[in-house]
Amino acid sequence: MATKSNSLDKNPEACDVLLAWWRDLDNNRGDRAALRRCHNTVDIVFNPAYHKLWLTLNKLGFGNRDSVALIAGVLANVKNHQGGEAFATQMASMKDGSTPLVSGLRFKRLLKIKDKEELFSSIVRIVKLMDGSVNACNLANGLYWWNDYTKKEWAYSYYEKASESKH
């Protein structure tokens, strides 16, 4: 279970590091473009921008290289950081008043993913469906700790928002 000290989204220093790295991609468009072209986490680790993120997060105790590669690849596709609501809640937000940004079927398929390579491609597609506007820190935390606890928390958030929207 993630606690305040090991949660990327509840640790202000870790979130600041993530957002500073993400904003820095605007100044290094070549790195952003290279990360966006990656098809898997192996490709991502060949990008110097990934190593910059990993080195800073590792100093804060987030040293899982594969998870940080996943985060780097996905965040390169984020256009706008929308703090506040959790990422899963944002997925259930209505796009046209009647359907969620991410369908219930796609969300269920997402929660069944165990492999981080499959998670990478699925989350990138979802971020694009959401026009790149997501809670970057909360998303990164979920990707870092991708496990049954994360999946349950996402399910609680998604379905709570989805049921509110139907009323």
Side-chain angles (χ1 to χ4, degrees), residues 111-167:
L111 295 184
K112 291 180 181 177
I113 295 173
K114 292 180 172 47
D115 177 67
K116 288 204 175 183
E117 295 304 325
E118 187 181 347
L119 178 62
F120 172 66
S121 59
S122 183
I123 288 288
V124 167
R125 282 192 299 273
I126 287 172
V127 167
K128 289 177 180 180
L129 274 174
M130 298 171 69
D131 293 324
S133 293
V134 302
N135 183 332
C137 291
N138 185 259
L139 170 58
N141 188 65
L143 296 174
Y144 189 88
W145 299 109
W146 190 251
N147 57 28
D148 288 341
Y149 176 80
T150 300
K151 293 174 187 181
K152 284 194 285 187
E153 290 300 310
W154 281 23
Y156 296 144
S157 295
Y158 180 90
Y159 291 114
E160 182 177 317
K161 177 71 172 188
S163 67
E164 285 176 8
S165 300
K166 291 181 180 178
H167 297 290

Side-chain angles (χ1 to χ4, degrees), residues 17 20-21 24 28 31 47-57:
V17 162
W21 175 85
D24 194 48
N28 299 296
D31 285 340
N47 187 298
Y50 152 76
H51 292 280
K52 182 178 178 184
L53 178 62
W54 182 80
L55 288 169
T56 54
L57 287 177

Side-chain angles (χ1 to χ4, degrees), residues 2-160:
T3 64
K4 185 171 183 165
S5 62
N6 68 355
S7 174
L8 284 163
D9 58 340
K10 292 184 178 48
N11 179 325
E13 188 176 4
C15 188
D16 288 347
V17 162
L18 275 170
L19 292 177
W21 175 85
W22 172 74
R23 286 183 190 109
D24 194 48
L25 289 177
D26 284 340
N27 299 324
N28 299 296
R29 293 188 183 269
D31 285 340
R32 181 187 300 275
L35 286 169
R36 284 182 176 170
R37 286 191 299 270
C38 292
H39 298 288
N40 54 49
T41 58
V42 174
D43 292 344
I44 293 165
V45 300
F46 294 123
N47 187 298
Y50 152 76
H51 292 280
K52 182 178 178 184
L53 178 62
W54 182 80
L55 288 169
T56 54
L57 287 177
N58 186 45
K59 290 176 187 170
L60 298 175
F62 300 97
N64 183 318
R65 290 178 187 266
D66 291 337
S67 292
V68 174
L70 177 62
I71 291 166
V74 171
L75 289 189
N77 292 278
V78 171
K79 295 176 185 173
N80 300 302
H81 167 61
Q82 299 286 322
E85 289 186 319
F87 176 69
T89 302
Q90 292 172 333
M91 284 191 278
S93 297
M94 296 297 157
K95 66 178 169 189
D96 57 14
S98 63
T99 59
L101 290 170
V102 177
S103 72
L105 182 60
R106 184 181 294 265
F107 183 72
K108 284 179 187 177
R109 282 195 307 248
L110 173 66
L111 295 184
K112 291 180 181 177
I113 295 173
K114 292 180 172 47
D115 177 67
K116 288 204 175 183
E117 295 304 325
E118 187 181 347
L119 178 62
F120 172 66
S121 59
S122 183
I123 288 288
V124 167
R125 282 192 299 273
I126 287 172
V127 167
K128 289 177 180 180
L129 274 174
M130 298 171 69
D131 293 324
S133 293
V134 302
N135 183 332
C137 291
N138 185 259
L139 170 58
N141 188 65
L143 296 174
Y144 189 88
W145 299 109
W146 190 251
N147 57 28
D148 288 341
Y149 176 80
T150 300
K151 293 174 187 181
K152 284 194 285 187
E153 290 300 310
W154 281 23
Y156 296 144
S157 295
Y158 180 90
Y159 291 114
E160 182 177 317

